[in-house]
Amino acid sequence: MKTLLTFIAAMICTLQSSAQTVAPDTTSRNEVAEGLLTVLLPAIAEKDSTKNIHELDEIVVKAPKVIRKSDMDVYHPSKSAVDNSKNGMQLLRNLMIPTLTVNDALGSISAAGQSVQIRINGKEVNAETIGKIKNRMREIIDADLPFHLKTVRTADAAVLFRERGMNDKTRLIESAGMPYTSYYELDGYINYFYGCLTPSTGYIQHFDLVPYFDGVLLRVPQKTNPTELEPVIRMWS
């Protein structure tokens, strides 16, 4: 329930603005290393003694982007994959997951020819789920909850974001180099925005949440006519 409420709060805020070798027990690591060097170094010297030798100042070891578990594979997108993606569909495509086929034009995802189920917080995205989220959003709007703008020391804001698992926001505000950071709070949910939000949720009257291909689409008001929603555009190949 907490994760669902966090997702709903985020949706409300969106309307406003990531050859092992084993040595015998009797042989020390140093002895093994010396043996390897004795064999390798002469061979390298004999192969080509005229090539320049380059020393490596630093070696960076990165964790794998995929963590395999007993019942699932967890993929962690790289920064470049995120930066080059405009939406979740493009991010899935940029991850280049084996057997997964992503069609941006049709808005479809398949794995080995079979359809893929899209979920929000572990729950299947269907008409019932979308309806519940939409109703909860309307309840928050009708409650006219205030958006609180808070300005604190950046170090303190980083602690708050890190405690909530918002590591991307933590890195963002820490890399900005500003001594103070401003963020918004809505009924316990916090987030960082580039623009200003309305004083309260009651100002948000025009929106819709509808099924869209294998997922869900949040419809927002038009910039030039805020009483009308942006049209739903479906791209076909």
Side-chain angles (χ1 to χ4, degrees):
M1 177 60 72
K2 183 178 179 180
T3 55
L4 180 58
L5 291 177
T6 298
F7 169 79
I8 292 173
M11 296 281 280
I12 291 290
C13 292
T14 301
L15 288 171
Q16 301 300 313
S17 14
S18 237
Q20 183 180 15
T21 301
V22 179
D25 294 338
T26 57
T27 305
S28 68
R29 291 184 179 179
N30 288 337
E31 291 173 339
V32 173
E34 291 172 359
L36 290 174
L37 288 174
T38 301
V39 175
L40 292 176
L41 289 179
I44 294 173
E46 292 175 4
K47 183 177 180 180
D48 192 347
S49 60
T50 62
K51 290 185 177 180
N52 294 328
I53 298 176
H54 298 279
E55 294 184 359
L56 297 177
D57 295 330
E58 181 180 2
I59 297 177
V60 178
V61 179
K62 294 184 178 180
K65 70 174 182 178
V66 56
I67 300 176
R68 303 196 182 280
K69 299 185 178 182
S70 58
D71 59 341
M72 69 178 70
D73 291 340
V74 180
Y75 285 83
H76 294 274
S78 64
K79 184 178 183 301
S80 61
V82 175
D83 292 341
N84 292 307
S85 303
K86 294 182 179 180
N87 51 48
M89 191 76 70
Q90 289 185 4
L91 180 58
L92 277 176
R93 184 195 62 195
N94 291 337
L95 285 176
M96 295 183 291
I97 300 175
T99 74
L100 193 68
T101 302
V102 180
N103 190 316
D104 285 343
L106 296 178
S108 64
I109 307 171
S110 62
Q114 302 295 319
S115 61
V116 175
Q117 187 180 87
I118 309 298
R119 297 191 172 204
I120 298 175
N121 294 331
K123 295 185 177 181
E124 182 182 357
V125 179
N126 52 34
E128 181 181 1
T129 302
I130 294 174
K132 289 181 179 179
I133 294 175
K134 183 177 177 179
N135 290 338
R136 181 58 182 143
M137 292 172 68
R138 178 55 65 184
E139 290 176 358
I140 294 174
I141 291 172
D142 292 342
D144 197 21
L145 299 175
F147 288 103
H148 294 291
L149 175 62
K150 299 184 177 182
T151 301
V152 299
R153 293 173 59 248
T154 296
D156 296 334
V159 171
L160 291 175
F161 287 128
R162 189 175 289 110
E163 289 176 347
R164 289 163 173 77
M166 304 169 72
N167 295 322
D168 57 336
K169 297 296 175 67
T170 302
R171 291 191 295 269
L172 175 64
I173 63 175
E174 288 179 336
S175 62
M178 302 299 292
Y180 292 90
T181 295
S182 296
Y183 65 90
Y184 280 93
E185 184 267 336
L186 173 67
D187 196 26
Y189 172 79
I190 68 171
N191 213 329
Y192 177 85
F193 298 92
Y194 289 106
C196 298
L197 304 186
T198 59
S200 67
T201 58
Y203 283 73
I204 308 167
Q205 293 299 322
H206 303 285
F207 80 97
D208 198 5
L209 204 63
V210 298
Y212 190 75
F213 294 108
D214 295 326
V216 60
L217 174 68
L218 174 64
R219 299 185 62 195
V220 298
Q222 299 178 15
K223 292 182 178 180
T224 56
N225 187 7
T227 61
E228 297 291 333
L229 298 179
E230 291 285 358
V232 177
I233 301 176
R234 291 182 178 271
M235 299 178 62
W236 305 94
S237 59

